[in-house]
Amino acid sequence: AAAAAAEAEGAGLLTASSTAEGRPSVRVSALAGTNLEALRGMIAEHLHEARGRSSHTLELPCDGRLGERLSYLHRHPRISVLETATTGSGEALIVTVEMDRDTHRAYVGQQRRWGESDTVRVTLTDSEAPDDGSGGRSGG
């Protein structure tokens, strides 16, 4: 193991061992930038878990209320909008957001106030399931 660590050090690799919690480790090259994406992913996953947040994909219809919906998502202090794209047909905007479980419940409630129990689809992209009994879809 010492020989491998010395070889890695000579190649400009920073080596981290697994922690006591059993978290995985990654070798990153400071010279070539090797495995930086893997390191970023591990850091993002750790922060994700630590904050109790999960990713959700929202399908928002492109209608007269789209601006109101997007404004709600962007100005909410506990929602992070990660990505937006339009569907192939242009009939809806696909928005990937990150939020905690309580904020997800509040968002579902806001949809109901907007009268959109079945028009805005919410899909979890994480393994965490919502507690609202919807199985990942807004409404019931």
Side-chain angles (χ1 to χ4, degrees):
E7 181 182 329
E9 187 176 322
L13 293 174
L14 300 176
T15 306
S17 62
S18 294
T19 65
E21 297 105 24
R23 293 194 185 277
S25 63
V26 64
R27 292 178 136 192
V28 177
S29 170
L31 300 175
T34 307
N35 289 335
L36 284 177
E37 284 304 314
L39 177 62
R40 284 186 191 116
M42 288 175 64
I43 292 169
E45 182 179 328
H46 174 73
L47 292 174
H48 212 70
E49 290 172 12
R51 295 185 299 188
R53 294 164 62 97
S54 58
S55 296
H56 302 264
T57 301
L58 312 176
E59 186 175 320
L60 308 177
C62 291
D63 60 15
R65 302 194 70 176
L66 179 61
E68 181 180 5
R69 293 182 200 106
L70 284 175
S71 174
Y72 177 87
L73 294 173
H74 280 283
R75 66 184 159 81
H76 196 289
R78 294 185 324 205
I79 297 177
S80 300
V81 176
L82 306 175
E83 185 178 351
T84 59
T86 57
T87 58
S89 64
E91 294 177 1
L93 187 67
I94 306 299
V95 183
T96 304
V97 299
E98 183 182 271
M99 66 179 96
D100 60 43
R101 185 180 299 251
D102 291 337
T103 304
H104 178 261
R105 280 191 217 122
Y107 178 74
V108 169
Q110 180 62 45
Q111 286 179 277
R112 290 184 181 129
R113 284 188 290 281
W114 287 331
E116 299 174 343
S117 59
D118 292 323
T119 58
V120 180
R121 192 171 75 217
V122 178
T123 306
L124 289 174
T125 55
D126 201 30
S127 60
E128 181 181 340
D131 272 348
D132 61 10
S134 70
R137 287 186 56 108
S138 63

